[in-house]
């Protein structure tokens, strides 16, 4: 994983370099291509992950597992249709924790659960707030399209003003209490500075795509392959892609239908992130249980 992060750093700066050469429209196209490839792929093998967790083997049929999963997705869609503001807030909370959990898995071994949850949530939340604060008008328009509620732009800055000091306080506390995590802490803070530069210099979709794919989706795929096969290799990656193929294709078809029906950029962005949220809800639960080594919600 250490070698991969070196690659991700170089790739991120390469993405920044590309930003200065491509038009806004090209960045949007490339950004969505990245999200549609590795971004969607990293959540397409959830059913396989569930089937490979020992606590549910022999006790849930494939159709029952699929039924649970589809039910959660449809619940997410229903929430966005009936109470979109609540659904969006839930999506931000779940995504924030999910992003933080991916980067700080080992934190669970040394600290109380409430501290771990708070820290992981704040890590992901600040990443999202950094992205939001550098593209406030676009984010405001997307939220308006989804919820019909206009969030005042100063609120985005206000949120990060409260969240960042608490996050830094927890960073100092963890740095002080755990010598084993000090090097990782400094490295992750360096990464956050890199994300800040990335989000400031790039467009909303391009910046999100680079973070989401290079820093979340691909590391998640590596973790999933290690969980499923014991180690990561090109052969195991190909097998992973084959297993995820049908679910990835279904997701791409769904997104394509949305695009064909709603070609307006702001409206499509809103619907796309709503779709992403609906599939994020069950995925975040599956990955959280994978890190714990068991899935109790489907028992």
């Amino acid at each position: 994983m250490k070698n991969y992060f070196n690659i991700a750093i170089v790739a991120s700066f390469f993405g920044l370099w590309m930003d200065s050469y491509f038009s806004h429209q090209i960045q949007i196209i490339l950004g969505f291509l990245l999200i549609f490839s590795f971004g969607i792929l990293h959540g397409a093998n959830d059913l396989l992950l569930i089937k490979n967790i020992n606590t549910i083997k022999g006790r849930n049929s494939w159709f029952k597992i699929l039924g649970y999963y589809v039910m959660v997705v449809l619940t997410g869609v229903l929430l966005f249709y009936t109470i979109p503001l609540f659904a969006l807030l839930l999506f931000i909370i779940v995504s924030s924790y999910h992003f933080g959990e991916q980067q700080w898995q080992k934190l669970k071994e040394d600290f109380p659960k409430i501290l771990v949850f708070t820290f992981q949530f704040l890590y992901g939340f600040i990443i999202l707030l950094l992205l939001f604060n550098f593209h406030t008008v676009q984010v405001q328009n997307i939220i308006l399209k989804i919820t019909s509620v206009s969030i005042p732009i100063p609120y985005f800055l206000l949120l990060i003003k409260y969240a960042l000091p608490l996050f830094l306080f927890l960073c100092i506390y963890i740095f002080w209490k755990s010598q084993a995590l000090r090097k990782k802490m400094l490295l992750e803070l360096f990464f956050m500075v890199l994300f800040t530069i990335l989000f400031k210099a790039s467009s909303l979709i391009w910046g999100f795509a680079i973070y989401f794919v290079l820093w979340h989706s691909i590391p998640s795929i590596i973790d999933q392959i290690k969980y499923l096969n014991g180690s990561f290799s090109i052969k195991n990656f190909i097998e992973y892609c084959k297993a995820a193929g049908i679910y990835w294709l279904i997701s791409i078809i769904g997104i394509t239908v949305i695009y064909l029906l709603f070609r307006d950029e702001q409206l499509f962005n809103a619907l796309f992130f709503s779709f992403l949220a609906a599939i994020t809800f069950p995925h975040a639960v599956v990955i959280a249980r994978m890190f714990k080594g068991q899935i109790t919600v489907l028992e």
Side-chain angles (χ1 to χ4, degrees):
M1 187 65 78
K2 181 180 178 181
N3 291 334
Y4 172 74
F5 283 137
N6 292 334
I7 295 171
I9 292 171
V10 174
S12 296
F13 280 111
F14 180 69
L16 279 175
W17 174 77
M18 291 176 64
D19 177 80
S20 61
Y21 284 90
F22 293 142
S23 67
H24 176 71
Q25 199 63 31
I26 295 297
Q27 289 181 38
I28 290 175
I29 294 171
L30 291 176
F32 277 119
L33 285 176
L34 281 175
I35 295 170
F36 292 163
S37 55
F38 289 103
I40 299 298
L41 179 67
H42 96 281
N45 252 339
D46 288 350
L47 296 178
L48 181 61
L49 288 172
I50 296 171
K51 287 174 66 178
N52 279 270
I53 292 174
N54 291 331
T55 56
I56 65 166
K57 284 183 178 179
R59 291 159 62 178
N60 289 279
S61 69
W62 185 87
F63 287 106
K64 187 175 181 180
I65 295 170
L66 179 63
Y68 277 119
Y69 196 87
V70 171
M71 183 174 65
V72 176
V73 172
L74 292 178
T75 300
V77 172
L78 184 63
L79 285 174
F80 269 96
Y81 183 75
T82 55
I83 40 177
L85 183 58
F86 171 79
L88 183 62
L89 289 173
L90 185 62
F91 172 50
I92 291 172
I93 292 170
V94 171
S95 297
S96 297
Y97 174 74
H98 182 53
F99 290 159
E101 183 187 39
Q102 176 65 44
Q103 295 299 111
W104 289 96
Q105 304 163 29
K106 294 182 179 179
L107 198 63
K108 299 177 181 179
E109 301 170 4
D110 302 315
F111 294 94
K113 289 182 179 180
I114 185 63
L115 186 145
V116 172
F117 174 83
T118 303
F119 183 80
Q120 290 174 333
F121 165 75
L122 284 172
Y123 178 91
F125 189 47
I126 287 171
I127 287 175
L128 290 177
L129 287 176
L130 287 171
L131 181 66
F132 294 168
N133 273 279
F134 288 121
H135 305 281
T136 49
V137 175
Q138 284 179 277
V139 173
Q140 184 188 50
N141 289 335
I142 290 172
I143 293 173
L144 180 62
K145 291 284 186 179
I146 294 174
T147 66
S148 299
V149 175
S150 180
I151 305 296
I153 287 179
Y155 281 23
F156 296 109
L157 184 59
L158 192 64
L159 282 171
I160 203 166
K161 280 184 176 180
Y162 282 106
L164 187 57
L166 178 57
F167 174 72
L168 292 177
F169 172 78
L170 291 179
C171 286
I172 294 170
Y173 176 76
I174 292 169
F175 187 87
W176 172 58
K177 293 288 287 185
S178 176
Q179 187 174 356
L181 290 173
R182 287 176 184 176
K183 186 176 180 180
K184 178 175 176 58
M185 179 65 70
L186 294 174
L187 188 62
E188 290 294 341
L189 290 175
F190 166 74
F191 290 160
M192 293 195 85
V193 173
L194 174 62
F195 300 153
T196 303
I197 297 170
L198 173 67
F199 295 154
K200 179 175 174 57
S202 61
S203 64
L204 174 65
I205 297 299
W206 185 236
F208 174 75
I210 292 175
Y211 168 76
F212 185 59
V213 172
L214 293 179
W215 295 94
H216 176 71
S217 300
I218 294 178
S220 179
I221 289 172
I222 293 172
D223 286 338
Q224 291 175 47
I225 291 173
K226 287 179 178 178
Y227 179 82
L228 293 169
N229 303 103
S231 64
F232 178 83
S233 67
I234 298 300
K235 179 183 176 182
N236 290 338
F237 174 70
I238 293 172
E239 292 299 319
Y240 177 92
C241 292
K242 288 179 180 178
I246 183 64
Y247 309 111
W248 175 83
L249 183 61
I250 291 171
S251 298
I252 295 302
I253 291 172
I255 294 169
T256 302
V257 170
I258 291 174
Y259 175 75
L260 292 175
L261 291 176
F262 307 96
R263 291 175 180 268
D264 175 74
E265 180 181 327
Q266 291 292 343
L267 183 57
F268 173 73
N269 288 345
L271 291 170
F272 170 74
F273 283 111
S274 299
F275 175 84
L276 200 63
I279 61 178
T280 294
F281 293 143
H283 170 69
V285 173
V286 171
I287 296 301
R289 297 300 180 180
M290 181 191 80
F291 288 144
K292 291 179 181 177
Q294 60 180 354
I295 290 185
T296 56
V297 293
L298 295 180
E299 287 183 327

